[in-house]
Amino acid sequence: MPPQTARPLTLRDVSEASGVSEMTVSRVLRNRDDVSPATRDKVLAAAKALGYVPNKIAGALASQRVNLVGVIVPSLGNMVFPEVLRGISAGLEDSGLQPVFGATDYQAEREENVIYEMLSWRPSGVIVAGLEHTDAARAMLANAGIPIVEVMDIDGEAIDSVVGISHRRAGREMAEAIIRAGYRRIGFLGTKVPDDFRARKRLEGFTEALAQAGLSLADTEDYAGGSSLAKGREMTEAMLKRTPDLDFLYYSNDMIGAGGLLYCLDQGLDVPGSIGLAGFNGLELLQGLRLQLATTDACRREIGLRAAQIIAGKPTDGMIGAQRVELDPILNLGDTIRR
C-alpha cells in the first residue's frame, strides 16, 4: 500500500492548539491589529509548533491579489543587482509581502514577457529596473491597478513611482573630475552599451561634459557580452595597443574597470600618474585591490529599500503613489585619479 498523505493543517487545528477561536486565529495570521499581544503570541506559537502555513491562495481568490511583489531586473548574475535585491528584501520586511524575481538579460521583448507572466499572478506591486520599455509593457504596467516602481534611473518619464539616480549626472560629474585632474586623451570601454540604457545615459553625460571643455573621446571599445575581470583586461590591452597615448580609461562598470586596472599594474604603468582609470557602481568586492578604483556609488541598496517601502505603503513623506525619489550619485576618486 502507498504511504498515506498527511492531512493538511487547518485554522481549526491552530484554534484547538492555542485555545482561541478560528476567527481570532485568522485575524492574527492576517496581521490584523485588533488582537492583544498575548493572544497573538499564543496563536503564533501554536502555529509554529504545528508547522502550520496559511493558504494565501484562498485569500487571493477573494481579493484578486497575492502577497507577492514582482521584481524585474536585467540580470541576476550581474554583481550590481544583488545589492538592490537586498534593499528590497529589507524594505518588505514585516510587510507580509514577498519578492519574486525575474531577469530580462537587457532584452526588451523578454522584459515584456516577464512583465506579462508576473502580472498574470496578480501581485501586490511591481518593481522594475529602468524607464525604457516596449509600448506593450508600459501599457500592461500602467493599467495593472497596483503600485509600480521603476528603479535605478530618473532620467525619463515614469509610469507611476520612480527611485534612482541621474546617470547623465553621474557621467558628467566623473568627466568633470577627470578634466580637473588634467587628463586629456580619454578612452571609453563598455559592455552591452547599446542595450543598457543607463550606461548609454552615463556616456552621454560624460561626452557632453568633455565637449564643454573642448574635448572628445579619443577611442571607444564595446563588448556585447557580460562583464568580468578577464574581459576588462582584454579590452584594455586592445585599446592601449591601438591608441597608446591615452592618459585615461573610463569603464561602463567597475568589474571591467578592475580588470583594466590589473592589466595596467601588470604592465608596470604609472597609475594614476601617466594613466588614470574609473568605473561605475562602487562594488565593495573590489575594495581589496592594491589600488582602489575611482568609481561612482549608485546607491543600489538605498534604491531597493526606498522602492520596497513605496510598494509596502510606507512612504516617508506622506505621499501615496507617483513618488519621485532622486538619490545623489556619490563620486569616489579612489587611488586611480590624480589629486
Side-chain angles (χ1 to χ4, degrees):
M1 296 288 291
Q4 283 190 319
T5 302
R7 176 181 65 83
L9 295 170
T10 66
L11 285 179
R12 177 173 295 181
D13 296 311
V14 181
S15 170
E16 293 174 352
S18 60
V20 302
S21 69
E22 291 183 41
M23 181 69 74
T24 300
V25 171
S26 177
R27 288 196 184 101
V28 170
L29 296 178
R30 285 185 287 126
N31 206 28
R32 291 270 296 271
D33 57 8
D34 53 352
V35 181
S36 71
T39 300
R40 181 181 304 278
D41 291 344
K42 184 191 300 184
V43 170
L44 293 177
K48 183 176 181 179
L50 289 172
Y52 175 77
V53 177
N55 181 359
K56 292 190 175 181
I57 292 179
L61 292 175
S63 67
Q64 298 296 303
R65 292 278 173 254
V66 295
N67 291 342
L68 299 175
V69 175
V71 180
I72 304 167
V73 295
S75 171
L76 293 175
N78 190 319
M79 298 188 65
V80 170
F81 293 102
E83 192 70 11
V84 180
L85 303 184
R86 279 192 284 271
I88 291 172
S89 294
L92 294 179
E93 191 172 353
D94 300 325
S95 70
L97 299 172
Q98 291 294 326
V100 291
F101 306 113
T104 68
D105 196 28
Y106 293 94
Q107 297 178 21
E109 292 76 13
R110 185 166 182 177
E111 180 190 70
E112 185 180 307
N113 291 334
V114 172
I115 289 171
Y116 177 88
E117 293 296 333
M118 289 280 191
L119 291 178
S120 72
W121 285 95
R122 299 298 187 267
S124 295
V126 169
I127 298 172
V128 57
L131 294 164
E132 288 76 19
H133 318 284
T134 66
D135 291 342
R138 287 188 68 87
M140 286 188 286
L141 292 170
N143 294 301
I146 56 176
I148 305 295
V149 185
E150 293 162 288
V151 295
M152 309 301 288
D153 185 9
I154 56 90
D155 293 319
E157 183 180 350
I159 294 170
D160 182 11
S161 295
V162 61
V163 182
I165 67 167
S166 168
H167 286 263
R168 289 193 177 92
R169 173 184 168 186
R172 184 173 65 250
E173 290 179 350
M174 181 59 78
E176 291 168 351
I178 292 168
I179 294 166
R180 283 195 301 270
Y183 299 102
R184 293 297 181 267
R185 293 282 294 166
I186 302 164
F188 173 79
L189 303 91
T191 61
K192 293 189 176 180
V193 175
D195 299 318
D196 186 342
F197 292 100
R198 292 172 292 286
R200 282 166 52 183
K201 291 174 184 178
R202 288 196 301 278
L203 181 57
E204 288 169 3
F206 188 83
T207 55
E208 287 168 4
L210 292 183
Q212 289 173 359
L215 301 173
S216 61
L217 288 173
D219 199 356
T220 61
E221 180 88 7
D222 186 53
Y223 170 66
S227 302
S228 67
L229 293 175
K231 180 50 64 175
R233 294 178 70 107
E234 178 185 321
M235 296 170 70
T236 302
E237 179 180 11
M239 178 171 283
L240 290 180
K241 285 184 176 179
R242 185 171 63 239
T243 316
D245 63 339
L246 294 175
D247 63 5
F248 201 92
L249 302 176
Y250 181 44
Y251 298 83
S252 65
N253 63 65
D254 284 350
M255 187 57 66
I256 57 173
L261 174 59
L262 292 174
Y263 173 79
C264 291
L265 295 177
D266 286 349
Q267 296 300 307
L269 300 179
D270 177 12
V271 180
S274 63
I275 188 165
L277 304 94
F280 178 83
N281 275 318
L283 294 181
E284 294 182 2
L285 175 71
L286 303 179
Q287 292 180 0
L289 294 176
R290 179 152 56 97
L291 296 180
Q292 184 179 351
L293 181 69
T295 188
T296 301
D297 185 339
C299 311
R300 300 183 310 281
R301 187 182 186 281
E302 181 70 11
I303 286 172
L305 178 68
R306 299 287 289 274
Q309 288 174 339
I310 292 172
I311 293 290
K314 305 177 188 176
T316 56
D317 55 6
M319 288 182 61
I320 301 296
Q323 295 193 65
R324 180 183 175 86
V325 180
E326 179 176 356
L327 303 175
D328 295 324
I330 302 170
L331 183 65
N332 182 351
L333 299 183
D335 303 316
T336 59
I337 294 181
R338 291 192 295 252
R339 302 301 177 101

